[in-house]
């Protein structure tokens, strides 16, 4: 970048590189020379022709000729005015460039980060890979984004995406979202000219929980649906003449837009500390207050039931829709009237999950008379309590089939205290352990669950809730198998979840075409089986917003109008849409009607020589 261009960027906040680039691609016009570019920059900065002549070492007459023959004709064509209107009048040209509707005024992303809030359209990285070369590219991308230099940010993020694919074989969903956001910002004026509406969603994920694995799972679903919606838009405006999008384009591809009305999605990624006791956690409150400034029409989140319940009071007061993809507590079925209007839950509530798990246990254990059951949960978690209450109620209804041996409510407590309980139930020869870790609101919960793997798993069945479904479990089993404590032919660990890659109805080989395509595209972007239930429900959370926008695009301009139309469409008119996780329809309280629930188990894959969750 020449020093004169940098001076225009610094002093005038104008994306002069974009302006010069557009002047050069005009048809049937000679490309601007380095002299011409300098003349334009200095003219915008207010220098006279005499001063410019001294800078570029040309005569004033030469400057005048270049302006009239090459520079003014190009600018007039780009501005779609007569050359006489702008010749010698750089104030008009400057005002054109400063007009935010024309896309040259640099608008750095809002300063979203403070002690109580972390949000990013592209100005901050949350998921860092181990490779420092990739990290450097990511950081450069965020720095350009902060300056409003979206083209440069886009190139850095594309390089980082490609490099991560080359090294690790899977893409980074956070970076793919930023690539899409940069494309929208870079082509904002053209999108407006083509009347392509840009809608902004926020997704709130817990980056601190389980080393960011949960956040990555959710963001894969979000990034994938954003790409499927936006890529056809970028194709229509012939963006590939300037930017090569082949590195983010899956070979298997289909558009999700069911109407001729063109729209695109911009995604704000928000970090939720997800800590039950953090008084400083004002994520929801801050996001609700920023919603109007950021033109948010809906929010996808939060992960844990506790954070979701806390957040709803702030979102409902601002007329914001909260589409939830992961919170399952029964408490969320009994919201106040105003909060229930804002709430749409894509995943399966605890009462249904627990019943499904209980029925499965009852069916497979009929050969053994009254198996002894232990329940392990976190008394401090409303979700964990909710699931425990539901499964305990089921066990009590069938007390002739089960013996409730004991309960442990302190899975999140001291390591040694919990280990003592594990040793105790091992000596009592427990047959079934039902594990209900919280959603990451207390750090020890998931880690302590790993102690259960120290049991002789050949003689005990571990049955977990959806929060137990993690790759961590596979690592625990792998350790035990190396010590010959696990029979590779037995299903010793199971979990009840809403969706799986190999779901019989909604998986890669099922009858649901949308789900099959979801897996096919996901395989190219993230790798086989990297899409989990958290990815699928996140995808469907955005999908129901998209279907509402398609149906009522002329009437939806803000979050309040979206809330009204979603309530009318889904809760009053009882309409339904097909998603990756099956048919989606809602009760008036925001709960999904007939939500999916299925049992998966940890099994040994002889071909791949590894443990994996599967149906």
């Amino acid at each position: 970048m020449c020093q004169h261009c940098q001076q225009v960027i610094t002093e005038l906040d104008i994306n002069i590189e974009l302006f010069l680039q557009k002047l050069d691609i005009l048809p049937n016009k000679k490309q601007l020379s380095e002299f011409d570019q300098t003349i334009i920059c200095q003219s915008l900065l207010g220098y006279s022709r005499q001063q410019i002549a001294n800078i570029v070492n040309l005569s004033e007459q030469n400057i005048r000729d270049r302006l009239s023959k090459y520079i003014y004709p190009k600018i007039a064509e780009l501005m779609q005015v007569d050359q006489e209107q702008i010749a010698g009048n750089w104030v008009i040209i400057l005002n054109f460039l400063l007009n935010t509707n024309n896309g040259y005024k640099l608008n750095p992303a809002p300063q979203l980060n403070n002690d109580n809030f972390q949000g990013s359209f592209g100005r901050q990285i949350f998921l860092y890979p181990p490779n420092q070369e990739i990290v450097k590219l990511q950081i450069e991308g965020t720095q350009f984004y902060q300056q409003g230099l979206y083209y440069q940010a886009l190139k850095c993020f594309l390089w980082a995406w490609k490099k991560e694919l080359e090294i690790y074989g899977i893409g980074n969903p956070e970076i793919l979202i930023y690539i899409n956001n940069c494309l929208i910002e870079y082509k904002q004026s053209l999108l407006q000219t083509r009347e392509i509406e840009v809608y902004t969603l926020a997704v709130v994920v817990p980056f601190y929980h389980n080393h960011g694995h949960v956040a990555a799972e959710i963001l894969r679903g979000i990034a994938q649906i954003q790409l499927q919606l936006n890529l056809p838009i970028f194709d229509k405006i012939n963006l590939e003449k300037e930017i090569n999008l082949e590195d983010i384009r899956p070979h298997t591809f289909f558009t999700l837009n069911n109407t001729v009305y063109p729209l695109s999605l911009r995604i704000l990624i928000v970090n939720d500390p997800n800590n039950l006791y953090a008084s400083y956690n004002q994520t929801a409150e801050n996001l609700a207050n920023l919603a109007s400034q950021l033109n948010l029409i809906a929010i996808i989140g939060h992960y844990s039931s506790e954070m979701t319940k806390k957040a709803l009071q702030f979102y409902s007061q601002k007329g914001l829709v909260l589409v939830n993809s992961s919170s399952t507590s029964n408490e969320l079925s009994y919201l106040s009237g105003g909060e229930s209007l804002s709430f749409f839950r894509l995943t399966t509530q605890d009462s249904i999950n627990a019943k499904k798990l209980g029925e499965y246990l009852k069916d497979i254990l009929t050969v053994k008379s009254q198996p002894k059951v232990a329940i392990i949960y976190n008394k401090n978690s409303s979700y964990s309590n909710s699931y425990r209450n539901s499964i305990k109620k089921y066990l009590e209804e069938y007390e002739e089939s089960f013996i409730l041996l004991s309960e442990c409510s302190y899975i999140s407590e001291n390591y040694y205290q919990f280990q003592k309980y594990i040793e105790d139930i091992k000596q009592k020869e427990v047959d079934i352990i039902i594990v209900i870790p919280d959603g990451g609101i207390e750090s020890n919960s998931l880690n302590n669950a790993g102690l259960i793997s120290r049991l002789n798993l050949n003689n005990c069945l571990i049955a977990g809730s959806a929060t137990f479904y993690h790759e961590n479990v596979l690592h625990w089993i792998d350790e035990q198998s190396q010590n010959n404590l696990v029979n590779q032919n037995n299903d010793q660990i199971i979990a009840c979840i809403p969706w799986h890659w190999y779901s019989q109805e909604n998986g890669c080989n099922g009858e649901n075409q949308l789900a099959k395509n979801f897996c096919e595209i996901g395989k190219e972007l993230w790798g086989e089986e990297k899409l989990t239930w958290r990815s699928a429900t996140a995808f469907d959370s955005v999908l129901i917003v998209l279907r509402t926008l398609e149906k009522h695009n002329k009437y939806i301009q803000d979050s309040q109008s979206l809330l009204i139309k979603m309530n009318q469409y889904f809760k009053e008119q009882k309409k339904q849409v097909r998603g990756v996780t099956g048919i989606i329809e809602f009760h008036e309280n925001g709960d999904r009607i007939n939500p999916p629930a299925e049992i998966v188990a940890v099994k040994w894959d002889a071909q791949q020589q590894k443990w994996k969750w599967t149906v």
Side-chain angles (χ1 to χ4, degrees):
M1 183 188 302
C2 71
Q3 66 181 59
H4 308 294
C5 289
Q6 185 61 59
Q7 194 175 355
V8 172
I9 292 170
T10 304
E11 296 184 18
L12 301 177
D13 284 335
I14 290 172
N15 191 343
I16 188 64
E17 288 193 312
L18 175 62
F19 181 57
L20 295 174
Q21 184 182 21
K22 287 192 174 184
L23 293 178
D24 267 343
I25 63 175
L26 290 171
N28 303 320
K29 292 287 190 300
K30 183 180 177 181
Q31 281 201 328
L32 295 172
S33 68
E34 187 177 335
F35 286 126
D36 297 328
Q37 294 178 7
T38 302
I39 291 169
I40 292 172
C41 290
Q42 295 301 314
S43 298
L44 288 171
L45 291 166
Y47 289 91
S48 67
R49 279 198 293 269
Q50 182 179 357
Q51 290 172 314
I52 297 173
N54 293 332
I55 292 172
V56 297
N57 198 24
L58 293 173
S59 67
E60 283 190 57
Q61 183 60 47
N62 203 330
I63 299 293
R64 190 178 293 110
D65 289 343
R66 301 197 75 83
L67 284 166
S68 61
K69 291 182 180 180
Y70 307 122
I71 297 174
Y72 289 145
K74 280 180 171 285
I75 296 176
E77 183 176 346
L78 185 62
M79 292 176 61
Q80 297 182 347
V81 298
D82 292 333
Q83 183 173 331
E84 289 75 15
Q85 291 181 248
I86 63 167
N89 197 335
W90 283 91
V91 173
I92 292 178
I93 300 172
L94 183 59
N95 287 337
F96 169 79
L97 294 172
L98 291 174
N99 187 329
T100 55
N101 292 328
N102 294 323
Y104 301 102
K105 179 73 173 72
L106 291 176
N107 295 305
Q111 296 299 311
L112 296 174
N113 286 17
N114 56 53
D115 290 340
N116 301 318
F117 187 80
Q118 290 180 303
S120 174
F121 285 108
R123 67 181 308 279
Q124 179 181 2
I125 299 295
F126 295 105
L127 294 173
Y128 284 110
N131 184 280
Q132 290 305 302
E133 186 178 351
I134 298 173
V135 171
K136 183 180 178 181
L137 289 170
Q138 291 177 344
I139 292 175
E140 287 179 347
T142 63
Q143 291 171 342
F144 280 124
Y145 194 96
Q146 289 176 43
Q147 297 177 61
L149 301 175
Y150 301 116
Y151 174 79
Q152 292 93 324
L154 171 61
K155 294 292 288 185
C156 288
F157 288 139
L158 279 168
W159 291 330
W161 166 267
K162 186 177 180 180
K163 195 72 176 176
E164 200 155 353
L165 273 177
E166 290 174 354
I167 295 176
Y168 301 109
I170 63 173
N172 183 330
E174 182 186 8
I175 298 303
L176 186 58
I177 288 172
Y178 293 159
I179 289 170
N180 273 269
N181 289 347
C182 286
L183 287 167
I184 288 173
E185 297 291 357
Y186 176 50
K187 287 298 178 182
Q188 189 177 70
S189 59
L190 186 56
L191 293 174
Q192 291 173 345
T193 302
R194 300 286 183 88
E195 296 184 341
I196 298 171
E197 194 71 42
V198 177
Y199 293 100
T200 303
L201 301 179
V203 54
V204 188
V205 290
F207 283 103
Y208 300 151
H209 176 42
N210 201 17
H211 308 289
H213 294 307
V214 167
E217 290 176 39
I218 295 170
L219 290 180
R220 286 182 193 124
I222 300 292
Q224 189 164 319
I225 192 170
Q226 183 191 26
L227 180 67
Q228 286 183 243
L229 184 62
N230 288 355
L231 201 52
I233 297 296
F234 300 139
D235 288 339
K236 286 181 180 178
I237 61 177
N238 295 320
L239 188 60
E240 287 206 346
K241 290 182 178 179
E242 303 172 49
I243 301 291
N244 183 4
L245 298 180
E246 290 309 304
D247 289 329
I248 63 170
R249 185 190 305 279
H251 294 97
T252 301
F253 191 79
F254 69 101
T255 180
L256 289 169
N257 198 339
N258 286 341
T259 70
V260 294
Y261 173 69
L263 58 91
S264 59
L265 282 182
R266 175 169 44 207
I267 302 294
L268 172 69
I269 298 176
V270 179
N271 177 39
D272 185 359
N274 202 42
N275 190 317
L276 185 62
Y277 307 110
S279 58
Y280 61 85
N281 184 2
Q282 299 171 5
T283 300
E285 185 177 1
N286 276 274
L287 185 56
N289 291 333
L290 283 167
S292 177
Q293 177 188 347
L294 300 174
N295 296 317
L296 292 181
I297 60 163
I299 296 165
I300 312 298
H302 292 222
Y303 176 64
S304 69
S305 297
E306 292 79 9
M307 298 301 107
T308 297
K309 186 177 180 182
K310 180 181 178 181
L312 262 170
Q313 59 180 308
F314 298 109
Y315 300 146
S316 62
Q317 290 170 5
K318 299 289 186 179
L320 287 162
V321 170
L322 177 66
V323 186
N324 184 269
S325 63
S326 56
S327 299
T328 63
S329 172
N330 293 331
E331 287 188 30
L332 295 170
S333 300
Y334 304 98
L335 300 169
S336 64
E339 291 180 352
S340 66
L341 287 172
S342 292
F343 189 58
F344 294 81
R345 171 156 53 178
L346 265 292
T347 193
T348 310
Q349 57 265 41
D350 293 336
S351 57
I352 296 176
N353 276 322
K355 182 179 179 182
K356 176 78 173 182
L357 181 61
E359 289 175 345
Y360 178 84
L361 295 176
K362 185 172 178 291
D363 290 342
I364 67 168
L365 295 169
T366 51
V367 294
K368 185 162 187 175
S369 176
Q370 290 189 302
K372 291 178 285 188
V373 181
I375 300 176
I376 299 175
Y377 68 104
N378 181 4
K379 63 183 177 183
N380 299 322
S381 163
S382 63
Y383 152 72
S384 195
N385 268 298
S386 168
Y387 202 103
R388 171 259 187 185
N389 293 339
S390 296
I391 193 69
K392 186 176 180 181
K393 180 180 178 182
Y394 183 89
L395 295 176
E396 289 173 346
E397 288 179 4
Y398 295 91
E399 58 183 355
E400 74 282 358
S401 301
F402 300 95
I403 297 175
L404 184 55
L405 179 68
S406 68
E407 293 185 80
C408 172
S409 63
Y410 46 86
I411 189 175
S412 62
E413 296 292 333
N414 181 279
Y415 168 91
Y416 296 103
Q417 183 181 7
F418 183 70
Q419 185 181 36
K420 183 178 178 182
Y421 174 79
I422 293 295
E423 293 297 329
D424 181 58
I425 60 174
K426 180 179 180 180
Q427 292 178 8
K428 293 179 180 178
E429 297 183 340
V430 64
D431 299 301
I432 303 171
I433 301 177
I434 298 175
V435 191
I436 316 167
D438 57 65
I441 61 169
E442 292 188 329
S443 58
N444 289 337
S445 183
L446 186 59
N447 292 334
N448 280 344
L451 295 175
I452 300 167
S453 67
R454 297 185 177 183
L455 296 170
N456 186 340
L457 296 179
N458 289 323
N459 299 322
C460 180
L461 175 67
I462 313 298
S465 62
T467 52
F468 190 61
Y469 182 96
H470 286 288
E471 283 197 7
N472 308 51
V473 175
L474 305 181
H475 300 155
W476 302 334
I477 292 294
D478 188 58
E479 290 177 0
Q480 296 303 301
S481 64
Q482 293 176 16
N483 295 323
N484 297 317
L485 296 176
V486 179
N487 185 336
Q488 294 180 349
N489 297 318
N490 290 341
D491 298 342
Q492 290 129 344
I493 292 186
I494 63 172
C496 185
I497 60 175
W499 181 90
H500 189 272
W501 183 281
Y502 293 110
S503 298
Q504 292 183 357
E505 292 184 14
N506 299 310
C508 64
N509 300 315
E511 297 180 359
N512 183 345
Q513 188 60 46
L514 179 63
K516 291 172 69 174
N517 290 333
F518 175 71
C519 292
E520 288 175 11
I521 294 175
K523 181 179 179 179
E524 289 195 52
L525 293 175
W526 327 114
E528 188 170 355
E529 301 179 52
K530 286 294 182 181
L531 291 173
T532 68
W533 71 263
R534 299 176 182 94
S535 313
T537 53
F539 183 100
D540 280 351
S541 295
V542 179
L543 184 68
I544 66 167
V545 174
L546 170 62
R547 294 295 180 244
T548 308
L549 293 173
E550 290 172 341
K551 188 76 175 177
H552 303 285
N553 60 78
K554 294 181 180 179
Y555 307 100
I556 297 177
Q557 302 298 326
D558 53 26
S559 59
Q560 175 67 11
S561 53
L562 176 68
L563 184 149
I564 293 170
K565 292 303 179 183
M566 285 188 69
N567 272 275
Q568 290 175 344
Y569 188 70
F570 287 110
K571 296 180 181 178
E572 296 174 15
Q573 301 171 17
K574 299 298 181 184
K575 300 292 185 181
Q576 58 179 227
V577 299
R578 177 174 288 279
V580 169
T581 57
I583 297 298
I584 303 171
E585 50 188 338
F586 294 95
H587 295 290
E588 288 192 3
N589 65 353
D591 278 344
R592 184 170 172 179
I593 298 173
N594 298 320
E598 58 184 292
I599 303 297
V600 294
V602 175
K603 296 182 180 180
W604 176 254
D605 188 313
Q607 184 175 1
Q608 299 183 22
Q609 288 293 297
K610 67 177 184 179
W611 293 95
K612 57 195 292 188
W613 286 103
T614 189
V615 294

